[in-house]
């Protein structure tokens, strides 16, 4: 009797390991290169590298959320710390309880090994920070202020003072500051500053346009190739992530990476040998609270249910919003039924709406 060929045994929750380097999908992980950000990385590197030998530069990185600004800064600084004896000080204003001058200066000083007492003023804290930076000489210092929009937001207390102070360090005799980098989401973030504060920012801006579908797909494929074992992540799953990221998450690449990681965990838990569209759909439902209209799900719908779903989608597109009044939806169903030579009674229409609601495709309220 011939033996049957052995097959891998998959148990739910104990399946084949798909993720070999899950940290590669973390938003905090900075890969060796950033696809479709070569121009921005090269320009930032050139600006900061040139300032190591000359006057301090003030640089702004501006672009929507999830477009690679912080990663570019981290990638450039990682290289300069290794090759040029640079000390990098970094503060993310969203992570502070409030973006007040004292707290910003205190946080930066802590990275130089100092603890600033709350009994001293913001001005005194800044002078102490200046002395700490000066002691780093001959090392050059680069300061990055991330989420700079917070400096002019409702949480900010004299945020303009942070801009003015950090960009005037050389005037205090602190000559080893090479650059101050402000990372912001909006082009007009500095409008809330006073004229003299805005003038210190200068005009060196590196812009980060939103990613296109093709670019998001390239980035997802690049990152999953590092995170998953070879062949474990289907390209169709990456394509769906790219579409969803663009449609639901405004192109935020962090959302794309979260979806890829979550889809991988779902696939592993189910004992699957590859990550497919099905796993991405489940990840989207979990992370966004929305279900995707998959071909598999549509196949389970009757003709009338598909017609009602199509009417809902057309109505939403017409209004430019996700909420569609029930009265308008009913009119759209009737109009679409006439065009399709279908006849749908009120009871059939309501039954179809209930089925779509139960399937998570529509929310009827």
């Amino acid at each position: 009797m011939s033996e049957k060929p052995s097959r891998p045994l998959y148990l739910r929750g104990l399946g084949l390991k798909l993720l070999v380097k899950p940290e590669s999908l973390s938003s905090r992980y900075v890969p060796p290169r950033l696809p479709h950000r070569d121009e921005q990385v090269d320009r930032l590197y050139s600006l900061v590298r040139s300032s190591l030998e000359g006057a301090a530069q003030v640089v702004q990185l501006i672009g929507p959320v999830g477009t690679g600004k912080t990663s570019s800064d981290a990638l450039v600084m990682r290289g300069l710390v290794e090759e040029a004896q640079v000390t990098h000080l970094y503060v993310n204003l969203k992570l502070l309880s409030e973006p007040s001058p004292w707290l910003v200066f205190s946080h930066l000083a802590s990275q130089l090994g100092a603890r600033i007492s709350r009994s001293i003023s913001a001005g005194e804290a800044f002078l102490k920070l200046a002395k700490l930076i000066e002691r780093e000489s001959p090392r050059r210092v680069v300061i990055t202020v991330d989420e700079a929009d917070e400096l002019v937001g409702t949480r900010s207390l004299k945020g303009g003072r942070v801009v003015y102070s950090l960009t005037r360090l050389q005037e205090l005799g602190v000559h080893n500051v090479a650059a101050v980098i402000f990372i912001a989401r909006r082009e007009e973030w500095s409008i809330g500053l006073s004229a003299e504060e805005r003038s210190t920012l200068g005009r060196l801006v590196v812009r980060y346009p939103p990613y296109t579908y093709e670019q998001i797909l390239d980035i997802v494929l690049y990152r999953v190739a590092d995170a998953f074992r070879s062949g474990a992540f289907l390209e169709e799953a990456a394509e769906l992530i790219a579409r969803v990221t663009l449609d639901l998450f405004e192109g935020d690449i962090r959302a794309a990476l979260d979806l890829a990681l979550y889809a991988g965990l779902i696939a592993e838990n189910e004992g699957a040998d590859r990550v497919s569209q099905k796993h991405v759909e489940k990840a989207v439902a979990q992370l966004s609270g929305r279900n995707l209209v998959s071909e598999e799900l549509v196949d389970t719908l009757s003709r009338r249910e598909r017609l009602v779903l199509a009417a809902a989608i057309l109505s939403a597109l017409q209004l430019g919003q996700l909420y569609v009044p029930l009265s308008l939806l009913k009119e759209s169903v009737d109009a679409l039924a006439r065009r399709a030579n279908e006849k749908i009674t009120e009871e059939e229409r309501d039954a179809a709406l209930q089925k779509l609601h139960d399937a998570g495709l529509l929310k009827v309220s």
Side-chain angles (χ1 to χ4, degrees):
M1 183 182 294
S2 61
E3 293 184 2
K4 292 183 178 179
S6 60
R7 295 179 181 175
L9 177 63
Y10 298 119
L11 299 177
R12 186 173 183 83
L14 297 173
L16 185 64
K17 191 71 174 174
L18 303 179
L19 281 157
V20 295
K21 192 179 175 184
E23 62 271 20
S24 297
L25 296 175
S26 167
S27 59
R28 294 181 294 276
Y29 172 76
V30 181
R33 57 176 286 264
L34 299 175
H36 303 290
R37 285 297 177 252
D38 293 332
E39 179 183 341
Q40 287 79 4
V41 169
D42 289 346
R43 186 175 179 201
L44 178 59
Y45 176 85
S46 298
L47 288 170
V48 179
R49 192 72 176 84
S50 64
S51 71
L52 297 180
E53 307 299 332
Q57 302 273 28
V58 179
V59 183
Q60 299 177 63
L61 310 185
I62 297 178
V65 62
T67 50
K69 304 181 299 297
T70 301
S71 293
S72 294
D73 177 71
L75 184 60
V76 168
M77 294 314 306
R78 186 166 69 195
L80 290 176
V81 167
E82 293 175 357
E83 70 183 54
Q85 285 196 321
V86 168
T87 296
H88 184 216
L89 305 180
Y90 172 88
V91 58
N92 185 316
L93 301 183
K94 270 191 174 295
L95 300 181
L96 301 180
S97 57
E98 61 181 29
S100 64
W102 185 93
L103 204 52
V104 173
F105 301 148
S106 174
H107 184 81
L108 293 172
S110 70
Q111 296 172 51
L112 295 173
R115 184 176 181 179
I116 295 181
S117 170
R118 284 194 171 272
S119 64
I120 67 175
S121 67
E124 292 171 315
F126 172 67
L127 292 176
K128 186 166 184 177
L129 172 64
K131 290 180 180 178
L132 289 167
I133 292 174
E134 194 173 13
R135 287 178 193 169
E136 288 289 296
S137 186
R139 292 181 69 91
R140 302 282 273 169
V141 176
V142 177
I143 302 171
T144 298
V145 180
D146 205 346
E147 300 287 359
D149 309 71
E150 294 287 304
L151 291 173
V152 292
T154 55
R155 295 197 308 133
S156 179
L157 299 173
K158 299 180 179 177
R161 187 171 178 180
V162 173
V163 174
Y164 191 81
S165 299
L166 293 180
T167 54
R168 298 271 176 165
L169 279 163
Q170 281 203 332
E171 295 180 13
L172 293 176
V174 184
H175 298 296
N176 61 320
V177 175
V180 181
I181 300 169
F182 292 94
I183 302 177
R185 301 181 183 188
R186 298 174 296 111
E187 186 85 30
E188 65 278 8
W189 76 272
S190 61
I191 289 178
L193 302 176
S194 65
E196 61 270 21
E197 291 161 353
R198 284 201 307 274
S199 69
T200 65
L201 288 171
R203 299 181 181 276
L204 294 179
V205 178
V206 181
R207 292 182 173 83
Y208 289 73
Y211 290 117
T212 64
Y213 165 79
E214 290 77 12
Q215 290 173 339
I216 296 172
L217 177 58
D218 283 348
I219 295 169
V220 171
L221 289 173
Y222 172 65
R223 296 292 282 268
V224 299
D226 192 37
F228 291 84
R229 65 173 177 80
S230 179
F233 205 98
L234 293 177
E235 187 166 344
E236 65 180 27
E239 291 170 350
L240 181 55
I241 287 177
R243 290 200 301 271
V244 169
T245 300
L246 203 59
D247 295 342
L248 296 186
F249 300 105
E250 300 179 336
D252 183 352
I253 205 64
R254 294 171 188 163
L257 299 179
D258 287 343
L259 285 172
L261 175 60
Y262 210 81
L265 293 173
I266 291 172
E268 280 190 347
N269 187 58
E270 292 182 355
D273 59 349
R274 291 180 297 180
V275 182
S276 66
Q277 283 188 348
K278 175 186 68 175
H279 302 117
V280 174
E281 290 165 5
K282 291 180 179 179
V284 173
Q286 289 292 326
L287 297 181
S288 71
R290 308 179 194 180
N291 284 330
L292 294 180
V293 185
S294 66
E295 292 182 14
E296 193 175 79
L297 185 55
V298 171
D299 286 342
T300 68
L301 302 178
S302 69
R303 180 175 174 80
R304 290 190 176 92
E305 289 160 355
R306 294 184 194 185
L307 190 147
V308 173
L309 178 59
I313 293 172
L314 290 172
S315 299
L317 291 173
Q318 186 179 22
L319 293 176
Q321 63 186 35
L322 292 177
Y323 171 75
V324 178
L326 191 57
S327 58
L328 176 60
L329 177 58
K330 291 179 178 179
E331 291 177 6
S332 298
V333 170
D334 292 340
L336 196 58
R338 285 195 297 270
R339 287 169 55 187
N341 293 319
E342 286 278 342
K343 184 175 181 181
I344 300 181
T345 66
E346 186 174 344
E347 291 77 12
E348 290 170 335
R349 182 190 60 210
D350 291 344
L353 284 172
Q354 185 62 51
K355 171 70 178 293
L356 295 170
H357 175 84
D358 294 341
L361 296 173
L362 296 178
K363 185 176 181 181
V364 181
S365 59

